[in-house]
Amino acid sequence: MNTVTPQPSTEQADNRHSNTFLRLKKKLERSVGEAIGDYNMIGDGDTVMVCVSGGKDSYTLLSCLLALRERAPVKFRIVAMNLDQKQPGFPDHILPAYFESIGVEYRIVTEDTYSIVKDKIPEGKTTCSLCSRLRRGIIYRTAAEIGATRIALGHHRDDMLETLFLNMFFGGKIKAMPPKLVSDDGKHMVIRPLAYCTESDIARFARSMDFPIIPCNLCGSQENAQRKQIKAMLQAWGREFPGRIESLATSLKNVVPSHLADRKLFDFVGIDRGTLLDEGDIAFDPQPLPASGDNIVRLVGEPRNIPEALP
Ligand code: SF4
């Protein structure tokens, strides 16, 4: 059965002509533009293959990239790509119709990874890791076929933070999802232009745009329970402590290796008094040294008589 599930929502969609919507659109596009600029994600002549699953994130990604291409100082090609994994009930007419309606070049790839996964993984076991590996291989192969120099994925800021905590809580690693990544074989460049966008902004935008959302549970697999927990934890923090999530996101860009404990990143064994740290390794800005007697008085408190010139 071909169905399109509407995006669950606790908020009303913003009218597409309202100022609220236009502000939201501008905010998302600005954030995408900033991420692209900060990480040099797209350059002149690039072919960007945008992976579109039919979820809110990838529709938003495609929409923002198309809008930005209109006014970008560089010329690049966009090819929307969907992988039909032959999950039961996948409405395979929706994405081609959508791509046609907006006039974007596209490629639909059909590969029955669903059957492979069902065949290989015993009932009740998590299927996502094999499924993702198969999908990644097909995405890379397709990128090579269409000559894509960039593969754009729809992960956003909150996905990146969830991954950070997943890796810390369950993997013993400080590792998130990078905005830009070279594939293991060095042949592909993966970019995440939504790296600065919040999931709630994306969800609001998607509702207002009325994207034809395809449900993400067709494979019958449950969303990773641990990821769900982390998401709930971050959302609770966001409600309870305004600014905490923003600070966490900023921290991903301000890593101080000398104040962690990884000997591969910082030469703790080799340092001694007199070692000068690189600028990036300095955790706190040094306090300005008092330059005059006046400064000393202000720094230590009680004004007192001090000699005009210090020895
Ligand atoms: S949720 Fe389903 S489609 Fe998504 S990675 Fe897991 S098995 Fe694959």
Side-chain angles (χ1 to χ4, degrees):
M1 186 178 59
N2 291 338
T3 51
V4 180
T5 304
Q7 205 50 22
S9 160
T10 51
E11 303 165 46
Q12 290 297 312
D14 302 309
N15 179 307
R16 230 185 285 181
H17 300 292
S18 71
N19 285 339
T20 322
F21 171 75
L22 294 175
R23 267 199 304 275
L24 174 63
K25 182 173 184 304
K26 206 164 154 191
K27 181 182 173 192
L28 283 167
E29 288 171 7
R30 195 177 47 234
S31 299
V32 170
E34 255 175 51
I36 290 174
D38 285 355
Y39 296 94
N40 187 23
M41 290 186 187
I42 300 175
D44 204 26
D46 270 329
T47 291
V48 184
M49 184 176 91
V50 185
C51 298
V52 182
S53 62
K56 66 181 189 322
D57 306 333
S58 52
Y59 276 123
T60 301
L61 172 64
L62 179 62
S63 167
C64 288
L65 288 179
L66 287 169
L68 287 174
R69 187 177 61 170
E70 293 295 303
R71 46 184 197 270
V74 294
K75 296 255 167 289
F76 59 96
R77 175 182 168 218
I78 291 178
V79 184
M81 179 266 191
N82 170 253
L83 171 58
D84 174 357
Q85 296 179 269
K86 286 284 151 217
Q87 290 159 357
F90 182 77
D92 57 10
H93 62 292
I94 286 183
L95 283 166
Y98 177 74
F99 295 145
E100 300 272 351
S101 75
I102 60 168
V104 69
E105 189 182 344
Y106 68 94
R107 169 78 70 99
I108 305 286
V109 180
T110 304
E111 294 263 356
D112 188 0
T113 60
Y114 177 78
S115 301
I116 300 175
V117 166
K118 284 281 155 200
D119 189 46
K120 296 257 183 271
I121 307 279
E123 197 64 39
K125 296 269 179 215
T126 317
T127 49
C128 294
S129 101
L130 175 61
C131 177
S132 312
R133 270 209 314 279
L134 293 170
R135 191 169 47 218
R136 197 179 318 143
I138 298 165
I139 287 174
Y140 287 165
R141 192 195 68 211
T142 310
E145 281 168 12
I146 65 176
T149 49
R150 298 287 186 265
I151 299 171
L153 302 179
H155 298 115
H156 47 68
R157 183 201 73 175
D158 300 282
D159 289 323
M160 293 163 76
L161 288 176
E162 284 163 25
T163 307
L164 172 73
F165 281 95
L166 266 172
N167 279 321
M168 283 203 289
F169 287 2
F170 304 104
K173 274 188 184 151
I174 297 188
K175 174 181 158 182
M177 257 177 190
K180 188 178 179 188
L181 167 87
V182 179
S183 62
D184 292 344
D185 63 5
K187 290 184 181 156
H188 302 279
M189 178 70 79
V190 175
I191 57 172
R192 296 188 168 99
L194 297 180
Y196 293 167
C197 301
T198 67
E199 181 166 21
S200 59
D201 281 347
I202 292 171
R204 262 178 61 205
F205 181 72
R207 279 195 294 278
S208 302
M209 291 294 286
D210 211 10
F211 291 135
I213 301 291
I214 297 175
C216 56
N217 55 356
L218 294 173
C219 66
S221 182
Q222 293 298 316
E223 193 190 348
N224 179 318
Q226 290 162 342
R227 184 173 282 275
K228 243 172 154 170
Q229 273 175 21
I230 303 265
K231 187 188 268 287
M233 177 191 82
L234 290 172
Q235 285 173 344
W237 282 353
R239 283 190 299 273
E240 217 176 322
F241 308 105
R244 177 176 289 191
I245 302 300
E246 287 68 26
S247 179
L248 279 170
T250 305
S251 74
L252 289 178
K253 299 196 281 184
N254 287 310
V255 178
V256 185
S258 64
H259 285 59
L260 292 171
D262 189 337
R263 289 180 297 147
K264 297 186 291 303
L265 288 185
F266 187 77
D267 183 14
F268 290 98
V269 175
I271 52 165
D272 206 338
R273 288 178 304 153
T275 302
L276 292 177
L277 298 179
D278 288 340
E279 208 177 311
D281 286 328
I282 296 170
F284 300 102
D285 292 334
Q287 291 295 317
L289 287 173
S292 69
D294 265 10
N295 283 343
I296 292 176
V297 172
R298 272 193 266 112
L299 284 172
V300 298
E302 280 287 307
R304 60 192 165 92
N305 281 340
I306 49 167
E308 284 208 341
L310 289 170

